[in-house]
Amino acid sequence: VSDPLNSNGDPHAGAPEEKVELRKKVTLLRGISIIIGTIIGAGIFISPKGILKNSGSVGMSLVVWIACGILSLFGALSYAELGTCIKKSGGHYTYILEAFGPQVAFVRLWVDMIAIRPAGLAVIALAFGRYILEPIFMPCGVPEIAIKLATTIGITMVMYLNSMSVSWTARIQIFLTFSKLLAMAIIIVPGLYQLFKGETKNFENAFEVNTIDLTGLPLAFYSGMYAYAGWFYLNFVTEEVENPERTVPLAICISMVIVMICYTLTNVAYYTVMSAEELLASNAVAVTFAEKLMGNFSFAVPVFVALSCFGSMNGCLFAISRMFYVASREGQLPEVLSMIHIRRHTPLPAVIVLYPITLLILFLGDIYSLLNFMSFLRWLFIGVAVVGLIYLRYTRPDMPRPFKVPIFIPAVFSFTCFFMVFLSLYSDPINTGIGFAISLTGIPAYFIFIHFERKPKWFQKLSGQRLHKCKWETSEYAQKFLSSYTLIIHIMMPDMPSSF
């Protein structure tokens, strides 16, 4: 992508074009903050009881937390190899594209764009809106309209931040990551202090055989793997990482170790203060913990939860916008989404493309049902991407691999992913079936929007899908696409060049 104007603002003056591209601004610290900041959301503060409920005992629940961390580390190490041998941004989409071709990659992209990403962003934003307002409305409940207005403001702030500056986005993410770790330290330190004082009654008979529920363990692992989800987001911005051969594996390993330790110690702290029955009865575990141990300080917990949600939104949007940018560059999304702002060097169209869809789902859609439909697809396509690593080992053995993992690591992790998909089909066949049917709409969409390029010109004109390869500045298709976002762009970027 290049700047169409020379220094005098004349597009026809024949001056050399200056290349405009995303810059390598993701350092090791910023990479760690992206991973930790997106993994640690509201769940560990609000409701870690799913694992306890399905594992049946305190001791077994801690084992599940550690085991899920190790399995997630396996997946993260597999992605570290993929990220160092395929130095393109885009994450799952790029790896599936490289291994299995454009058709499978487009189905993944299609489901992400129409459902998973806007619904997921809306859910995180709703949690932000609820908990940022909770201290104001205490002890009353927060009105739903106020939550949605605060949610809209939160989404707009994240979109604006990601549109303005990569550096400031990364700096805010570092601050929010440290805020999350501080919040967890506020729980861990007093909890461990109580443990060292001898408060161990809740750990007695922690592994009692009669309480362990073997039939519920798969569901406990399912919940645990979701709690660790987010380790793959650095791979979405590989092209912006400084020295990716070193930074990507190092950031992933450091982040996963920190998250595993924090998750395990946070749960130990909870059990030190609360019994298993109290934890299962609580709707917000961190709030209950603070009320029992810190008294009035509990009002600060919702603020920390809101900051945690904002960090998850920020990191998620930063990463996902790069997937849309790469998909546009590959020709599977409108060309305008691969455009970069001339001065700010941000992929602004790719950042804001989810904005109207997310707000529409927020106010009109059944977000949680949509997430239930689509939740199993995340693990299906992550499993496919990791199988792609094994496939590339045999089909492209000469590919440079600066970081290489033993083959059993991707094998074990991909098996885990497919097991979770099978578990979804078994436990909730209706919602899973609906989600699978929605994903199948990506097949006709591929032929309509992508494959039509190969059809006769009269057919392209008749369907309104005539595609051409001219520059985006003069592309009528791109201008029509941009017109729908003109108001948003000018509000967010009032100093934007008229050529954009």
Side-chain angles (χ1 to χ4, degrees):
V1 180
S2 56
D3 185 348
L5 302 179
N6 64 9
S7 59
N8 299 320
D10 182 5
H12 304 293
E17 291 186 346
E18 179 186 353
K19 188 175 183 181
V20 180
E21 58 187 359
L22 298 176
R23 295 175 177 176
K24 291 183 177 292
K25 292 189 176 183
V26 180
T27 60
L28 176 61
L29 179 60
R30 290 175 176 179
I32 292 171
S33 71
I34 289 172
I35 298 172
I36 295 178
T38 48
I39 291 178
I40 302 176
I44 189 65
F45 301 109
I46 304 303
S47 184
K49 58 189 179 183
I51 292 178
L52 175 60
K53 180 181 177 181
N54 290 299
S55 61
S57 73
V58 170
M60 187 55 66
S61 71
L62 293 176
V63 170
V64 171
W65 277 107
I66 296 171
C68 288
I70 294 172
L71 285 171
S72 297
L73 178 61
F74 280 12
L77 290 173
S78 300
Y79 265 55
E81 177 176 328
L82 287 166
T84 53
C85 67
I86 303 173
K87 298 183 184 67
K88 295 181 182 178
S89 297
H92 320 312
Y93 167 80
T94 297
Y95 305 145
I96 293 173
L97 180 69
E98 288 285 329
F100 302 114
Q103 294 87 353
V104 181
F106 181 83
V107 172
R108 164 75 199 193
L109 177 70
W110 174 259
V111 175
D112 261 351
M113 193 162 191
I114 67 170
I116 294 179
R117 297 306 172 184
L121 192 61
V123 167
I124 300 172
L126 277 172
F128 165 79
R130 180 178 301 278
Y131 287 99
I132 200 68
L133 294 176
E134 190 164 297
I136 300 173
F137 285 86
M138 279 184 174
C140 303
V142 184
E144 286 299 318
I145 186 64
I147 292 173
K148 291 197 173 183
L149 288 175
T151 298
T152 303
I153 293 171
I155 294 172
T156 304
M157 289 171 61
V158 169
M159 294 279 180
Y160 180 77
L161 178 63
N162 277 267
S163 300
M164 288 292 290
S165 169
V166 172
S167 295
W168 274 106
T169 301
R171 288 168 188 158
I172 294 295
Q173 188 67 11
I174 292 173
F175 168 75
L176 293 170
T177 299
F178 277 107
S179 298
K180 297 182 185 197
L181 295 177
L182 175 62
M184 299 184 84
I186 291 172
I187 295 171
I188 291 170
V189 173
L192 293 183
Y193 177 71
Q194 294 295 317
L195 183 65
F196 293 143
K197 283 175 60 177
E199 294 291 335
T200 59
K201 60 181 181 296
N202 294 328
F203 294 97
E204 295 174 1
N205 301 319
F207 291 94
E208 191 173 354
V209 177
N210 294 335
T211 61
I212 296 175
D213 182 10
L214 294 177
T215 60
L217 279 179
L219 292 174
F221 272 92
Y222 197 64
S223 299
M225 293 298 288
Y226 268 101
Y228 282 99
W231 43 261
F232 41 75
Y233 277 116
L234 185 61
N235 294 69
F236 283 73
V237 297
T238 306
E239 294 172 25
E240 297 170 72
V241 176
E242 292 181 356
N243 189 12
E245 293 88 351
R246 173 183 176 274
T247 302
V248 171
L250 199 56
I252 285 173
C253 292
I254 294 173
S255 301
M256 292 305 300
V257 170
I258 291 174
V259 172
M260 285 173 62
I261 292 173
C262 287
Y263 274 7
T264 304
L265 293 182
T266 300
N267 279 276
V268 169
Y270 287 152
Y271 293 132
T272 303
V273 176
M274 292 180 285
S275 66
E277 292 75 17
E278 289 174 319
L279 191 143
L280 290 172
S282 173
N283 291 323
V285 178
V287 175
T288 304
F289 175 91
E291 288 174 347
K292 290 175 70 69
L293 203 60
M294 306 174 195
N296 293 332
F297 184 75
S298 60
F299 80 91
V301 173
V303 177
F304 280 118
V305 174
L307 289 174
S308 183
C309 293
F310 192 87
S312 294
M313 281 195 295
N314 186 56
C316 181
L317 182 64
F318 181 76
I320 294 306
S321 61
R322 273 55 179 181
M323 181 178 70
F324 297 145
Y325 167 81
V326 170
S328 172
R329 196 173 62 189
E330 296 289 339
Q332 292 201 337
L333 284 178
E335 192 177 5
V336 68
L337 296 183
S338 62
M339 299 303 115
I340 302 169
H341 191 276
I342 294 171
R343 291 188 299 278
R344 302 190 185 278
H345 296 270
T346 58
L348 191 144
V351 169
I352 66 171
V353 69
L354 283 184
Y355 187 71
I357 306 173
T358 304
L359 292 185
L360 186 66
I361 290 177
L362 176 66
F363 284 96
L364 301 179
D366 186 351
I367 300 171
Y368 294 100
S369 294
L370 193 59
L371 278 184
N372 288 337
F373 294 157
M374 297 297 174
S375 60
F376 83 101
L377 289 174
R378 164 189 275 182
W379 296 110
L380 174 63
F381 284 109
I382 290 176
V384 169
V386 175
V387 168
L389 182 154
I390 301 172
Y391 179 72
L392 289 172
R393 286 274 189 97
Y394 291 97
T395 58
R396 297 169 67 179
D398 298 328
M399 176 185 286
R401 292 177 172 84
F403 180 83
K404 191 173 181 179
V405 296
I407 196 69
F408 82 89
I409 288 180
V412 169
F413 182 76
S414 57
F415 173 80
T416 303
C417 290
F418 295 135
F419 176 76
M420 288 191 291
V421 171
F422 171 79
L423 186 64
S424 295
L425 289 168
Y426 176 78
S427 62
D428 193 1
I430 296 177
N431 282 337
T432 304
I434 293 172
F436 188 69
I438 293 174
S439 69
L440 290 179
T441 62
I443 297 174
Y446 176 81
F447 286 96
I448 293 171
F449 297 115
I450 306 300
H451 202 67
F452 271 2
E453 273 190 288
R454 305 173 189 174
K455 300 293 192 242
K457 289 184 177 180
W458 65 266
F459 190 83
Q460 295 177 31
K461 291 179 181 179
L462 184 65
S463 63
Q465 296 294 326
R466 185 176 183 181
L467 304 176
H468 42 79
K469 299 296 181 182
C470 65
K471 282 191 174 182
W472 72 274
E473 300 91 355
T474 59
S475 168
E476 182 183 358
Y477 180 79
Q479 295 298 332
K480 287 181 178 179
F481 184 87
L482 270 176
S483 65
S484 63
Y485 295 107
T486 299
L487 180 60
I488 299 173
I489 292 174
H490 281 289
I491 290 174
M492 296 177 71
M493 305 290 287
D495 62 336
M496 181 171 294
S498 58
S499 63
F500 191 94

